[in-house]
Amino acid sequence: MSKTLDVLLVVLMLGAAAWTFGQKYQAEAVEHQISLLDRKIALEKETLQLLDADWSLLNQPNRLEQLAKAFQDTLKLDPTDPEQIVEPNQLPSPPVPEAPADQKTHDRFAAMDRSKSR
């Protein structure tokens, strides 16, 4: 009886050890993935900072003014008149498109009118 119990306990310990090693390697794999993602995030943050610096350099008013003057003939840009700036309620409303006169639709309405009058 004790030999059977000893063998069972040894098998149980080996199974627990195998499970523990499996969990350890899974945790290490997850840690590796996390470190890769952290590196990617840091690289993306650095790229965003570079793009932000580029954007602010490209949008400097002096630079834009020089470009506007250099390409005046091509772009035909003029300063904005104060009269061009209006409130949204001052804009004309868009035209309402007319529905096309469809013969089938007309026939259906005519049939409905005839059935109501009966």
mmCIF file of all heavy atoms in Angstrom, residues 22-48:
data_model
loop_
_atom_site.group_PDB
_atom_site.id
_atom_site.type_symbol
_atom_site.label_atom_id
_atom_site.label_comp_id
_atom_site.label_asym_id
_atom_site.label_seq_id
_atom_site.Cartn_x
_atom_site.Cartn_y
_atom_site.Cartn_z
ATOM 1 N N GLY A 22 5.927 24.647 -17.394
ATOM 2 C CA GLY A 22 5.107 25.159 -18.490
ATOM 3 C C GLY A 22 4.613 26.570 -18.209
ATOM 4 O O GLY A 22 4.652 27.446 -19.084
ATOM 5 N N GLN A 23 4.156 26.803 -16.987
ATOM 6 C CA GLN A 23 3.685 28.140 -16.607
ATOM 7 C C GLN A 23 4.823 29.153 -16.646
ATOM 8 O O GLN A 23 4.642 30.304 -17.057
ATOM 9 C CB GLN A 23 3.054 28.100 -15.207
ATOM 10 C CG GLN A 23 1.765 27.317 -15.147
ATOM 11 C CD GLN A 23 0.695 27.914 -16.034
ATOM 12 O OE1 GLN A 23 0.467 29.110 -16.031
ATOM 13 N NE2 GLN A 23 0.050 27.078 -16.816
ATOM 14 N N LYS A 24 5.999 28.717 -16.218
ATOM 15 C CA LYS A 24 7.162 29.610 -16.205
ATOM 16 C C LYS A 24 7.508 30.048 -17.627
ATOM 17 O O LYS A 24 7.720 31.234 -17.894
ATOM 18 C CB LYS A 24 8.358 28.901 -15.581
ATOM 19 C CG LYS A 24 9.631 29.706 -15.632
ATOM 20 C CD LYS A 24 10.825 28.903 -15.175
ATOM 21 C CE LYS A 24 12.092 29.677 -15.443
ATOM 22 N NZ LYS A 24 13.266 28.848 -15.429
ATOM 23 N N TYR A 25 7.538 29.109 -18.566
ATOM 24 C CA TYR A 25 7.894 29.454 -19.938
ATOM 25 C C TYR A 25 6.807 30.281 -20.612
ATOM 26 O O TYR A 25 7.108 31.162 -21.416
ATOM 27 C CB TYR A 25 8.216 28.196 -20.739
ATOM 28 C CG TYR A 25 9.540 27.602 -20.316
ATOM 29 C CD1 TYR A 25 9.615 26.311 -19.816
ATOM 30 C CD2 TYR A 25 10.717 28.343 -20.387
ATOM 31 C CE1 TYR A 25 10.822 25.764 -19.407
ATOM 32 C CE2 TYR A 25 11.927 27.807 -19.979
ATOM 33 C CZ TYR A 25 11.981 26.518 -19.495
ATOM 34 O OH TYR A 25 13.173 25.996 -19.089
ATOM 35 N N GLN A 26 5.554 30.023 -20.269
ATOM 36 C CA GLN A 26 4.483 30.868 -20.799
ATOM 37 C C GLN A 26 4.617 32.297 -20.288
ATOM 38 O O GLN A 26 4.439 33.269 -21.033
ATOM 39 C CB GLN A 26 3.114 30.306 -20.413
ATOM 40 C CG GLN A 26 2.667 29.139 -21.249
ATOM 41 C CD GLN A 26 1.277 28.667 -20.843
ATOM 42 O OE1 GLN A 26 0.713 29.126 -19.857
ATOM 43 N NE2 GLN A 26 0.738 27.731 -21.610
ATOM 44 N N ALA A 27 4.935 32.447 -19.008
ATOM 45 C CA ALA A 27 5.102 33.786 -18.434
ATOM 46 C C ALA A 27 6.282 34.506 -19.081
ATOM 47 O O ALA A 27 6.208 35.713 -19.356
ATOM 48 C CB ALA A 27 5.305 33.687 -16.927
ATOM 49 N N GLU A 28 7.361 33.782 -19.340
ATOM 50 C CA GLU A 28 8.513 34.393 -19.994
ATOM 51 C C GLU A 28 8.168 34.828 -21.415
ATOM 52 O O GLU A 28 8.603 35.887 -21.878
ATOM 53 C CB GLU A 28 9.702 33.433 -20.005
ATOM 54 C CG GLU A 28 10.351 33.256 -18.643
ATOM 55 C CD GLU A 28 11.471 32.219 -18.651
ATOM 56 O OE1 GLU A 28 11.679 31.555 -19.697
ATOM 57 O OE2 GLU A 28 12.126 32.066 -17.616
ATOM 58 N N ALA A 29 7.364 34.028 -22.114
ATOM 59 C CA ALA A 29 6.953 34.397 -23.477
ATOM 60 C C ALA A 29 6.096 35.656 -23.448
ATOM 61 O O ALA A 29 6.250 36.554 -24.292
ATOM 62 C CB ALA A 29 6.204 33.241 -24.131
ATOM 63 N N VAL A 30 5.202 35.752 -22.479
ATOM 64 C CA VAL A 30 4.351 36.943 -22.354
ATOM 65 C C VAL A 30 5.206 38.156 -22.005
ATOM 66 O O VAL A 30 5.001 39.247 -22.551
ATOM 67 C CB VAL A 30 3.241 36.707 -21.312
ATOM 68 C CG1 VAL A 30 2.521 37.996 -20.976
ATOM 69 C CG2 VAL A 30 2.254 35.665 -21.816
ATOM 70 N N GLU A 31 6.175 37.998 -21.115
ATOM 71 C CA GLU A 31 7.068 39.110 -20.776
ATOM 72 C C GLU A 31 7.848 39.575 -21.998
ATOM 73 O O GLU A 31 8.046 40.784 -22.205
ATOM 74 C CB GLU A 31 8.043 38.694 -19.673
ATOM 75 C CG GLU A 31 7.439 38.638 -18.300
ATOM 76 C CD GLU A 31 8.441 38.210 -17.244
ATOM 77 O OE1 GLU A 31 9.610 37.905 -17.586
ATOM 78 O OE2 GLU A 31 8.057 38.188 -16.066
ATOM 79 N N HIS A 32 8.270 38.635 -22.837
ATOM 80 C CA HIS A 32 8.993 38.991 -24.057
ATOM 81 C C HIS A 32 8.086 39.782 -24.993
ATOM 82 O O HIS A 32 8.513 40.796 -25.574
ATOM 83 C CB HIS A 32 9.514 37.721 -24.745
ATOM 84 C CG HIS A 32 10.263 37.979 -26.007
ATOM 85 N ND1 HIS A 32 11.499 38.594 -26.026
ATOM 86 C CD2 HIS A 32 9.947 37.731 -27.298
ATOM 87 C CE1 HIS A 32 11.909 38.704 -27.280
ATOM 88 N NE2 HIS A 32 10.986 38.181 -28.069
ATOM 89 N N GLN A 33 6.843 39.343 -25.154
ATOM 90 C CA GLN A 33 5.895 40.070 -26.002
ATOM 91 C C GLN A 33 5.640 41.477 -25.449
ATOM 92 O O GLN A 33 5.554 42.443 -26.205
ATOM 93 C CB GLN A 33 4.576 39.312 -26.118
ATOM 94 C CG GLN A 33 4.667 38.056 -26.958
ATOM 95 C CD GLN A 33 3.360 37.282 -26.964
ATOM 96 O OE1 GLN A 33 2.480 37.533 -26.141
ATOM 97 N NE2 GLN A 33 3.246 36.342 -27.884
ATOM 98 N N ILE A 34 5.526 41.591 -24.149
ATOM 99 C CA ILE A 34 5.301 42.901 -23.528
ATOM 100 C C ILE A 34 6.481 43.825 -23.781
ATOM 101 O O ILE A 34 6.310 45.004 -24.102
ATOM 102 C CB ILE A 34 5.016 42.743 -22.022
ATOM 103 C CG1 ILE A 34 3.641 42.118 -21.815
ATOM 104 C CG2 ILE A 34 5.110 44.085 -21.302
ATOM 105 C CD1 ILE A 34 3.339 41.748 -20.383
ATOM 106 N N SER A 35 7.693 43.292 -23.659
ATOM 107 C CA SER A 35 8.873 44.138 -23.893
ATOM 108 C C SER A 35 8.942 44.570 -25.358
ATOM 109 O O SER A 35 9.325 45.707 -25.655
ATOM 110 C CB SER A 35 10.150 43.424 -23.472
ATOM 111 O OG SER A 35 10.402 42.306 -24.305
ATOM 112 N N LEU A 36 8.555 43.681 -26.292
ATOM 113 C CA LEU A 36 8.523 44.076 -27.707
ATOM 114 C C LEU A 36 7.500 45.181 -27.936
ATOM 115 O O LEU A 36 7.772 46.159 -28.650
ATOM 116 C CB LEU A 36 8.191 42.873 -28.588
ATOM 117 C CG LEU A 36 9.274 41.811 -28.762
ATOM 118 C CD1 LEU A 36 8.739 40.639 -29.578
ATOM 119 C CD2 LEU A 36 10.506 42.398 -29.424
ATOM 120 N N LEU A 37 6.328 45.039 -27.336
ATOM 121 C CA LEU A 37 5.306 46.077 -27.475
ATOM 122 C C LEU A 37 5.742 47.392 -26.853
ATOM 123 O O LEU A 37 5.468 48.467 -27.397
ATOM 124 C CB LEU A 37 3.985 45.606 -26.856
ATOM 125 C CG LEU A 37 3.233 44.530 -27.637
ATOM 126 C CD1 LEU A 37 2.028 44.059 -26.851
ATOM 127 C CD2 LEU A 37 2.816 45.050 -28.993
ATOM 128 N N ASP A 38 6.428 47.325 -25.708
ATOM 129 C CA ASP A 38 6.931 48.546 -25.083
ATOM 130 C C ASP A 38 7.918 49.258 -26.003
ATOM 131 O O ASP A 38 7.897 50.490 -26.119
ATOM 132 C CB ASP A 38 7.595 48.231 -23.742
ATOM 133 C CG ASP A 38 6.601 47.969 -22.633
ATOM 134 O OD1 ASP A 38 5.415 48.354 -22.787
ATOM 135 O OD2 ASP A 38 6.997 47.365 -21.609
ATOM 136 N N ARG A 39 8.778 48.483 -26.669
ATOM 137 C CA ARG A 39 9.731 49.090 -27.608
ATOM 138 C C ARG A 39 9.003 49.722 -28.786
ATOM 139 O O ARG A 39 9.364 50.821 -29.231
ATOM 140 C CB ARG A 39 10.736 48.043 -28.099
ATOM 141 C CG ARG A 39 11.841 47.797 -27.100
ATOM 142 C CD ARG A 39 12.932 46.927 -27.705
ATOM 143 N NE ARG A 39 13.090 45.801 -26.787
ATOM 144 C CZ ARG A 39 13.213 44.534 -27.137
ATOM 145 N NH1 ARG A 39 13.211 44.188 -28.395
ATOM 146 N NH2 ARG A 39 13.350 43.604 -26.240
ATOM 147 N N LYS A 40 7.978 49.033 -29.296
ATOM 148 C CA LYS A 40 7.209 49.590 -30.413
ATOM 149 C C LYS A 40 6.496 50.868 -30.000
ATOM 150 O O LYS A 40 6.444 51.837 -30.762
ATOM 151 C CB LYS A 40 6.188 48.574 -30.920
ATOM 152 C CG LYS A 40 6.783 47.462 -31.743
ATOM 153 C CD LYS A 40 5.687 46.539 -32.257
ATOM 154 C CE LYS A 40 6.239 45.404 -33.070
ATOM 155 N NZ LYS A 40 5.181 44.498 -33.561
ATOM 156 N N ILE A 41 5.941 50.886 -28.806
ATOM 157 C CA ILE A 41 5.244 52.081 -28.314
ATOM 158 C C ILE A 41 6.222 53.247 -28.181
ATOM 159 O O ILE A 41 5.914 54.374 -28.572
ATOM 160 C CB ILE A 41 4.539 51.780 -26.977
ATOM 161 C CG1 ILE A 41 3.338 50.866 -27.226
ATOM 162 C CG2 ILE A 41 4.110 53.063 -26.284
ATOM 163 C CD1 ILE A 41 2.701 50.333 -25.957
ATOM 164 N N ALA A 42 7.415 52.972 -27.643
ATOM 165 C CA ALA A 42 8.419 54.033 -27.509
ATOM 166 C C ALA A 42 8.820 54.566 -28.880
ATOM 167 O O ALA A 42 8.967 55.787 -29.062
ATOM 168 C CB ALA A 42 9.643 53.504 -26.766
ATOM 169 N N LEU A 43 8.966 53.673 -29.862
ATOM 170 C CA LEU A 43 9.318 54.103 -31.208
ATOM 171 C C LEU A 43 8.202 54.949 -31.814
ATOM 172 O O LEU A 43 8.465 55.982 -32.451
ATOM 173 C CB LEU A 43 9.593 52.882 -32.091
ATOM 174 C CG LEU A 43 9.981 53.164 -33.534
ATOM 175 C CD1 LEU A 43 11.296 53.917 -33.598
ATOM 176 C CD2 LEU A 43 10.064 51.877 -34.326
ATOM 177 N N GLU A 44 6.950 54.558 -31.610
ATOM 178 C CA GLU A 44 5.825 55.329 -32.131
ATOM 179 C C GLU A 44 5.745 56.704 -31.468
ATOM 180 O O GLU A 44 5.448 57.698 -32.133
ATOM 181 C CB GLU A 44 4.505 54.573 -31.936
ATOM 182 C CG GLU A 44 4.369 53.341 -32.800
ATOM 183 C CD GLU A 44 4.350 53.642 -34.285
ATOM 184 O OE1 GLU A 44 3.788 54.678 -34.683
ATOM 185 O OE2 GLU A 44 4.903 52.833 -35.045
ATOM 186 N N LYS A 45 6.001 56.766 -30.168
ATOM 187 C CA LYS A 45 5.992 58.066 -29.478
ATOM 188 C C LYS A 45 7.074 58.981 -30.033
ATOM 189 O O LYS A 45 6.857 60.178 -30.240
ATOM 190 C CB LYS A 45 6.170 57.874 -27.975
ATOM 191 C CG LYS A 45 4.929 57.372 -27.277
ATOM 192 C CD LYS A 45 5.152 57.252 -25.786
ATOM 193 C CE LYS A 45 3.900 56.772 -25.082
ATOM 194 N NZ LYS A 45 4.099 56.622 -23.637
ATOM 195 N N GLU A 46 8.246 58.402 -30.280
ATOM 196 C CA GLU A 46 9.340 59.192 -30.837
ATOM 197 C C GLU A 46 8.982 59.678 -32.244
ATOM 198 O O GLU A 46 9.237 60.830 -32.599
ATOM 199 C CB GLU A 46 10.614 58.341 -30.878
ATOM 200 C CG GLU A 46 11.839 59.084 -31.356
ATOM 201 C CD GLU A 46 13.080 58.203 -31.349
ATOM 202 O OE1 GLU A 46 13.139 57.239 -30.572
ATOM 203 O OE2 GLU A 46 13.987 58.498 -32.146
ATOM 204 N N THR A 47 8.360 58.798 -33.030
ATOM 205 C CA THR A 47 7.937 59.183 -34.379
ATOM 206 C C THR A 47 6.904 60.302 -34.323
ATOM 207 O O THR A 47 6.957 61.249 -35.113
ATOM 208 C CB THR A 47 7.358 57.958 -35.117
ATOM 209 O OG1 THR A 47 8.336 56.928 -35.137
ATOM 210 C CG2 THR A 47 6.957 58.305 -36.534
ATOM 211 N N LEU A 48 5.969 60.211 -33.386
ATOM 212 C CA LEU A 48 4.970 61.276 -33.236
ATOM 213 C C LEU A 48 5.611 62.598 -32.857
ATOM 214 O O LEU A 48 5.195 63.662 -33.336
ATOM 215 C CB LEU A 48 3.927 60.869 -32.201
ATOM 216 C CG LEU A 48 2.892 59.849 -32.671
ATOM 217 C CD1 LEU A 48 2.016 59.413 -31.506
ATOM 218 C CD2 LEU A 48 2.053 60.413 -33.786
#
